[in-house]
Amino acid sequence: MLRFSPRALAAGSLLLVLALVPLYAQWQGEPFLLALFGRVLVYGIAALALNLLLGYGGMVSFGHALYLGLGAYAVGVLSHHGIENGWLHLAAALGACALVGLVSGYVALRTSGIAFIMITLAFAQMFYFLATGLEGYGGDDGMSLFAGSDFSLFRLDTPLALYYAAFGVLLLALAALHRLIHAPFGMALRGCQANERRMRALGYATLRYRLAAYVLSAMLCGVAGVLLANLTLYVSPSYLAWTTSGELIVMVALGGMGTLFGPVAGALAFLLLEEGLKLLTDHWMLPMGLLIVGVVLLSRRGLYGALPETPWRPAAARALPCPTGEPR
């Protein structure tokens, strides 16, 4: 009999819900739902990118909003100059994130612990203040976009097209990360997290593995930035702020660090909780903070990480011997 683990059932159910959101929104006449769950998809992709470092590499980056902002500004700057080609937007975002990620990652990874955290934060703040000084691109006020990215076959200027584009990117990211973390590269990265000194003694170039993971994470976060700019049709230095980096870390921890689908579940829980509490009180941050602390204290593996990885079996079935006499 085919059995699925609670984690697999939860992930499949949430993906099915996300796929059906546009139909429900159209049926109920609630276009706001597309915008809300579009944010869930975008931030879920960004949290997946951070989880590659935080959950599988043990690298606490407190400046990952830098790459979310770079992706958004790649769209904003090119659109400001009349370039609406989405492939050029995507290429510019990937190139900028790869270059900045390579440089900043190489510097940060020469250190560890609190020094690594502070260096990633410092790079993000440098670009944040750079963005606030770009008066030609709105400066501290940001700038609005007049149209979404044009990918020839479709444009990201309609809520439905953007939503399913983000959903497709999320599925591709989940599939790619699943293969990556179960490949030799992913095993080596997790080995670096467990004991980097031993991995070096075994002959692994740990800096290369960690730097490659850092750059890949930065590029995936840049893709989320491209989608975010198209979702809001607005680009602002606030995308690069340290508070955004903190929110991404909370999403990863809330869903479950070191789990494939945990960051998506964390982004969904965080953003829905935020919207729900805003309807109840203007001081929504206080109860939200208490709820997040409670979840982390009660389940250090997060909401999704607390679910069992193996299928449930009845106690009688576990006790029943196999026909061959071999233990189960």
Side-chain angles (χ1 to χ4, degrees), residues 179-180 182-189 204 209:
R179 291 183 62 87
L180 183 68
H182 290 93
F185 175 86
M187 298 295 181
L189 183 63
Y204 285 89
Y209 281 98

Side-chain angles (χ1 to χ4, degrees), residues 63-259:
H64 236 55
L66 165 61
Y67 307 107
L68 188 70
L70 282 178
Y73 267 90
V75 177
V77 172
L78 291 178
S79 297
H80 181 77
H81 293 284
I83 301 174
E84 297 181 1
N85 189 302
W87 299 110
L88 290 180
H89 293 174
L90 184 60
L94 291 175
C97 290
L99 179 60
V100 175
L102 183 64
V103 175
S104 63
Y106 183 79
V107 174
L109 289 170
R110 312 298 291 186
T111 64
S112 61
I114 190 66
F116 177 85
I117 298 173
M118 296 307 295
I119 290 175
T120 57
L121 175 61
F123 271 101
Q125 288 301 101
M126 286 167 52
F127 278 85
Y128 168 79
F129 288 112
L130 174 63
T132 59
L134 295 176
E135 297 296 338
Y137 301 107
D140 193 36
D141 296 326
M143 60 178 173
S144 299
L145 308 182
F146 297 104
S149 301
D150 183 5
F151 285 90
S152 298
L153 297 177
F154 60 94
R155 292 182 64 101
L156 297 184
D157 53 3
T158 60
L160 187 62
L162 176 61
Y163 185 90
Y164 277 119
F167 185 69
V169 171
L170 177 67
L171 294 180
L172 289 175
L174 286 169
L177 289 174
H178 180 268
R179 291 183 62 87
L180 183 68
I181 61 180
H182 290 93
F185 175 86
M187 298 295 181
L189 183 63
R190 283 187 276 181
C192 294
Q193 177 188 20
N195 194 323
E196 187 179 1
R197 182 178 298 179
R198 181 172 294 180
M199 292 295 290
R200 285 199 299 264
L202 292 172
Y204 285 89
T206 57
L207 178 61
R208 294 182 184 177
Y209 281 98
R210 299 174 74 203
L211 182 58
Y214 192 94
V215 173
L216 288 174
S217 176
M219 294 172 70
L220 181 57
C221 207
V223 174
V226 171
L227 294 169
L228 181 60
N230 282 278
L231 176 67
T232 60
L233 289 178
Y234 177 73
V235 176
S236 168
S238 62
Y239 295 164
L240 298 97
W242 65 270
T243 52
T244 304
S245 298
E247 289 176 355
L248 292 178
I249 293 176
V250 170
M251 290 174 190
V252 174
L254 187 61
M257 289 187 294
T259 61

Side-chain angles (χ1 to χ4, degrees), residues 34-59:
L34 273 183
L36 173 59
F37 282 89
R39 286 183 63 210
V40 169
L41 294 177
V42 170
Y43 279 96
I45 295 167
L48 281 174
L50 178 59
N51 187 50
L52 179 62
L53 294 184
L54 185 58
Y56 295 106
M59 295 171 274

